[in-house]
């Protein structure tokens, strides 16, 4: 939201809850092609025939899929700290931690955090993950996200998103200097697929570069979009 408010000073900004997340519908299908289609159909419904898209990590993979599947739809694409290649699943412990929380036994959000702390030591990440926990109107708790489907299809998050042909959409790849998600070898591969691309590196930032260095992130994005 912090990033969006700054971008909204110059652009109309739509923040999207992907399927199986937030307030969006749940579905048994959860992969990059269907999520890219969701974004495209939403844009069509809103009558946005030309748009810029910014995506971090999984969102960046969706952006790459969208650019490859709907040629000419995106004016510009910003991909934050992810490359087209396949990745090992790195967040299994987060899903395991959320699954370990017995929603029928906890009486407070604090109870949930205590249970999650066995799997996730970082307090900030626990708080971030527990934003998915909400109270039922009749009492008790439920997950906003479709935890079962995400758990069953988590390997889809790591899939490669190589385009079938070269992408000429103006594309900015941003990486954090302390992150290993986008290596120098990845940059060579990115340039072979994205003919009109540039890569920027943000200092003193890891994978969560937009949260760690929000001012530098916004400036880098705005310089590219303008």
């Amino acid at each position: 939201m912090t990033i969006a408010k700054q971008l909204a000073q110059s652009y109309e900004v739509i923040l999207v809850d992907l399927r199986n997340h937030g307030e969006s519908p749940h579905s048994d299908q959860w992969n990059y092609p269907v999520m890219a289609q969701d974004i495209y159909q939403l844009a069509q419904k809103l009558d946005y025939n030309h748009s810029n898209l910014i995506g971090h990590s999984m969102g960046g993979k969706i952006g790459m899929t969208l650019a490859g599947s709907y040629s000419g739809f995106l004016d510009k694409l910003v991909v934050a700290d992810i490359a087209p290649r396949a990745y090992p699943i790195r967040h299994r412990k987060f899903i395991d931690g959320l699954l370990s929380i017995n929603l029928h036994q906890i009486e407070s959000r604090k109870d949930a955090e205590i249970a999650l702390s066995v799997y996730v030591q970082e307090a900030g990440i626990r708080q971030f993950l527990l934003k998915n926990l909400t109270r039922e109107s009749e009492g008790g708790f439920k997950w906003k996200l479709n935890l079962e489907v995400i758990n069953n299809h988590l390997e889809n998050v790591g899939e490669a998103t190589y385009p079938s042909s070269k992408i000429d959409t103006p594309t900015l790849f941003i990486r954090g200097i302390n992150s290993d998600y986008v290596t120098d070898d990845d940059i060579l591969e990115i340039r072979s697929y994205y003919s009109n691309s540039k890569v920027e590196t943000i200092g003193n930032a890891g994978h969560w570069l937009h949260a760690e260095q929000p001012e530098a992130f916004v400036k880098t994005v705005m310089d590219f979009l303008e």
Side-chain angles (χ1 to χ4, degrees):
M1 185 63 72
T2 301
I3 302 295
K5 285 181 177 179
Q6 294 181 66
L7 295 175
Q9 295 176 20
S10 303
Y11 298 92
E12 184 169 4
V13 177
I14 305 296
L15 296 176
V16 181
D17 285 342
L18 296 169
R19 64 167 63 196
N20 294 322
H21 290 76
E23 302 298 330
S24 289
H26 287 187
S27 169
D28 290 336
Q29 285 188 299
W30 192 61
N31 55 57
Y32 288 124
V34 298
M35 288 190 282
Q37 183 181 54
D38 289 342
I39 300 299
Y40 179 76
Q41 290 178 343
L42 173 62
Q44 295 298 297
K45 183 176 181 179
L46 296 172
D47 200 26
Y48 293 159
N49 295 315
H50 294 278
S51 304
N52 302 314
L53 187 142
I54 304 172
H56 169 256
S57 200
M58 184 178 78
K61 288 276 195 178
I62 295 169
M64 287 185 270
T65 304
L66 190 66
S69 300
Y70 302 93
S71 178
F73 166 64
L74 291 178
D75 288 339
K76 292 185 177 181
L77 171 63
V78 178
V79 177
D81 213 59
I82 202 75
R85 64 177 166 91
Y87 287 81
I89 300 303
R90 303 188 180 197
H91 301 312
R92 168 57 64 186
K93 70 173 184 177
F94 297 159
I95 301 299
D96 289 343
L98 295 178
L99 288 169
S100 74
I101 300 171
N102 189 328
L103 299 184
H104 300 294
Q105 291 184 355
I106 62 172
E107 296 181 357
S108 67
R109 190 172 293 270
K110 184 63 177 178
D111 289 342
E113 184 174 2
I114 291 171
L116 186 59
S117 67
V118 176
Y119 294 82
V120 183
Q121 282 70 52
E122 301 88 350
I125 295 178
R126 289 199 303 270
Q127 292 294 323
F128 175 72
L129 292 172
L130 289 175
K131 288 183 178 181
N132 292 289
L133 190 65
T134 186
R135 285 190 179 273
E136 295 264 30
S137 57
E138 63 273 15
F141 290 89
K142 68 176 181 179
W143 294 113
K144 290 182 181 179
L145 78 174
N146 191 342
L147 192 55
E148 180 180 359
V149 167
I150 291 174
N151 178 54
N152 291 339
H153 298 286
L154 191 60
E155 69 280 357
N156 291 347
V157 175
E159 289 183 348
T161 50
Y162 295 116
S164 57
S165 59
K166 281 196 173 184
I167 303 295
D168 60 5
T169 302
T171 304
L172 171 65
F173 287 81
I174 311 176
R175 63 176 181 169
I177 195 169
N178 298 327
S179 171
D180 62 354
Y181 274 74
V182 181
T183 66
D184 291 342
D185 288 339
D186 289 328
I187 292 175
L188 295 176
E189 191 170 59
I190 285 167
R191 288 173 175 157
S192 71
Y193 284 101
Y194 290 81
S195 59
N196 192 8
S197 65
K198 61 187 297 188
V199 180
E200 297 284 357
T201 303
I202 291 182
N204 196 27
H207 182 58
W208 302 93
L209 66 175
H210 58 299
E212 297 171 58
Q213 296 294 334
E215 291 184 5
F217 181 83
V218 170
K219 183 180 186 308
T220 302
V221 169
M222 291 297 292
D223 287 347
F224 174 68
L225 294 181
E226 294 173 351

